[in-house]
Structures are given as structure tokens and as C-alpha cells.
Amino acid sequence: MATPVFGGEAQATADETAWLEAHFEACAPEYHAMLAAAGIRPGDHVLDLGCGSGQFLGWIAEMAGPQGRITAIDLSPGNTEAAALRGAALLPRPALLAADALRIPLADSCVDVVWCANTFEYLTAVEQSDYLREMTRVTRPGGTIAVKDSEFTHKIFHPADLGFWLRFLQQLAVADGGPFVGRRLPAAFRAAGLTPTVRTFLSERTGPLGPVDRRWIGLSGRAVAADAMRLLGQEDAAAATAFDRQFDDGPECVLDRDEFYYCEGSIVLVAQTPVA
Ligand SMILES: C[S@@+](CC[C@H](N)C(=O)[O-])C[C@H]1O[C@@H](n2cnc3c(N)ncnc32)[C@H](O)[C@@H]1O
């Protein structure tokens, strides 16, 4: 059974929604390039699986064109309602379904391309392969399955105490493998009988940041600091607090310094479904 993303709830909290929207706005060029890797062509029927509030739907509509077709599925009815609103003015207009991606309510071989962004995080290795097999079932032979997900190891905040950061990574890996899902996906594809091409897309920014990047990376930094305070022991409490405080507005804010550097990475895997 798939576990809903977002702390056990399929519906994002207000904070998570704010972060997702800031992230999407700031990383639009990178996200567009990741979606382009799926090779959507005019006239394609595209399935956006785990579509969330439908952030990718506008670009999918542009790529599939008016002769194309879009189906978008999410476990959360709240998300499919938000995605339906976002998709209402698009051509083609997406068909929205609230359903479990492990039991996609579509016929065999009916889509050309599956796009699935950031939904593997809380699945076990077995569930990930089941998920990919279900995507394969609904995709025509020779069609495309494209999966984007995160790999936390690529995340860099500079300046930051490197010892503190490495201890945080270690605790994060022990507590929750989800943020490190990216590295496990090539094996999941192989286990499902798929041979993917694999590419990591980095989003890199240097200080001083403009307002859009400042909001996105500031929210990211706060979220990381909250995780560090939760996961690290008392001996790292001061370092976690210092990490958090550097994002405070004011003359010392790290985001406004020339030396500031931020990086994060997403892995995109693209595979063709077998032709009998
Ligand atoms: C982090 S969000 C990503 C949303 C969107 N793909 C994006 O990249 O902006 C993950 C989404 O996966 C959905 N989800 C989680 N488990 C699912 C499942 N078993 N079936 C369908 N959707 C699922 C959640 O409801 C959530 O909307």
C-alpha cells in the first residue's frame, strides 16, 4: 500500500504548500528542463502521476499540444481539485482522477508518456518496483516512463559548519531514507524490467540572492534547521540554532552575502517500455 507523502497526509500543509510554490517559481527553468527530458511530443497522451496541485500541467499541455491528451492522478482529492482549477483553462484540458497510483484506473497501454515527479519518497523498494510495473501496464509498448525525484546528498549550503552538516546527513539517513530516494531508483527501474537513462539536474544559486530565490532558499534553510534540531543531539543544539539564525532578515543574513552558495539535485530517469 502506498504511503501518502507529506508526514502521513496526502494533502500538504500550508507551510509545505508555500515552500512548494516558492520552489517551483524559483526553479522553473530547471523543472522545465527536467520535464523536457521525458520527450513529450505533440499529440501524446500524457499521464501526470502524483500530480499534486498540478504545477507541471501547463508545460505538459504546451508539449502535448491541442491534439494531445492529459490525465492527471493524485491520491488526495484536495490536490486533484486544486489541479483541476489550475488545468481548467488549458488545452488539452486535463482529466483529473483521485486514485492510488498503485492501482491506476486506466486501461492497459493507453498512454504514451508517464510523468511522475517526487512521489517515490515514502515507498519501500518493493513498492517502488510495483509502482513502476503499474506505470508500464498503462503505457503503450515503446512509450516512455519518466520519473523525477530528489537526492539530498547534492544539497549544499555554504557557509555552514561542515562537521555539523555531515552529522545532520548521517542522522537524516538513519531516521528517514526518503530524502535519499534518488540513488535507489535505477535499481527499482531494473527490478521492474526497465532500462533507464539517468541524469541529475542541479539547481545552483550564488549570493546575494534576488527575491524569488531568497524566499525559496530561505524556506529551505528553515526546514533543514527544524529537521536538524529534531534529529541531532544536545551537543549540536547550538550549531543547529546558529544554522537557523543565519537566515534571519537583517545585515547578517547569509542569503545576502557574496560568499553564499546553494545547490540541490534532482535525478530524472527515463525509460522506454518494452516492445514485444
Ligand atoms: C511532493 S508531491 C509532488 C506533486 C507533484 N508531482 C510535483 O512535483 O509538484 C507528492 C504527491 O504524490 C501524491 N501521492 C502520494 N502517494 C500517492 C499514491 N499512492 N497515489 C497517487 N498519488 C500519491 C501526494 O498526494 C502528493 O500530491
Side-chain angles (χ1 to χ4, degrees):
M1 178 67 188
T3 308
V5 177
F6 295 127
E9 300 297 328
Q11 184 69 48
T13 64
D15 279 357
E16 287 159 348
T17 300
W19 178 82
L20 277 174
E21 302 214 330
H23 198 172
F24 212 90
E25 184 183 2
C27 294
E30 288 95 340
Y31 278 4
H32 189 270
M34 292 180 214
L35 178 63
I40 296 167
R41 288 179 300 196
D44 276 348
H45 179 190
V46 182
L47 170 61
D48 185 353
L49 201 53
C51 64
S53 64
Q55 304 259 32
F56 282 100
L57 292 177
W59 289 332
I60 292 173
E62 278 173 23
M63 292 173 187
Q67 306 308 318
R69 208 175 136 197
I70 304 173
T71 304
I73 291 179
D74 199 279
L75 193 59
S76 153
N79 284 347
T80 52
E81 278 164 29
L85 278 178
R86 207 189 282 272
L90 298 177
L91 194 62
R93 186 174 176 156
L96 268 301
L97 299 171
D100 187 342
L102 281 172
R103 288 181 292 275
I104 301 172
L106 295 178
D108 294 359
S109 307
C110 72
V111 306
D112 299 294
V113 179
V114 177
W115 170 250
C116 182
N118 292 77
T119 68
F120 276 74
E121 188 166 339
Y122 288 88
L123 302 180
T124 65
V126 171
E127 287 171 334
Q128 288 173 4
S129 298
D130 289 347
Y131 204 14
L132 286 160
R133 281 193 202 92
E134 183 64 348
M135 293 182 203
T136 303
R137 179 187 69 75
V138 298
T139 305
R140 69 167 167 79
T144 302
I145 293 175
V147 171
K148 160 195 178 295
D149 231 298
S150 56
E151 173 51 59
F152 201 89
T153 320
H154 298 299
K155 199 180 281 283
I156 299 172
F157 288 91
H158 176 79
D161 177 335
L162 200 49
F164 155 77
W165 186 255
L166 293 176
R167 288 190 295 282
F168 168 59
L169 281 188
Q170 189 177 19
Q171 288 308 312
L172 191 61
V174 169
D176 179 6
F180 305 92
V181 67
R183 68 187 61 201
R184 299 198 297 266
L185 293 182
F189 269 66
R190 292 273 180 191
L194 297 165
T195 306
T197 60
V198 179
R199 190 174 155 201
T200 291
F201 290 74
L202 297 180
S203 299
E204 295 173 285
R205 302 290 188 272
T206 53
L209 300 176
V212 174
D213 289 329
R214 202 175 186 286
R215 178 166 162 68
W216 156 49
I217 296 173
L219 287 170
S220 296
R222 296 289 192 195
V224 163
D227 280 342
M229 288 175 192
R230 185 170 52 83
L231 294 173
L232 288 169
Q234 203 49 41
E235 60 280 13
D236 270 310
T241 302
F243 184 84
D244 188 50
R245 292 223 173 113
Q246 61 182 342
F247 300 104
D248 288 351
D249 280 332
E252 298 303 314
C253 181
V254 73
L255 305 170
D256 302 324
R257 287 198 226 151
D258 288 343
E259 64 183 320
F260 181 73
Y261 169 70
Y262 176 77
C263 179
E264 69 174 37
S266 291
I267 187 168
V268 178
L269 300 95
V270 180
Q272 260 49 64
T273 50
V275 181

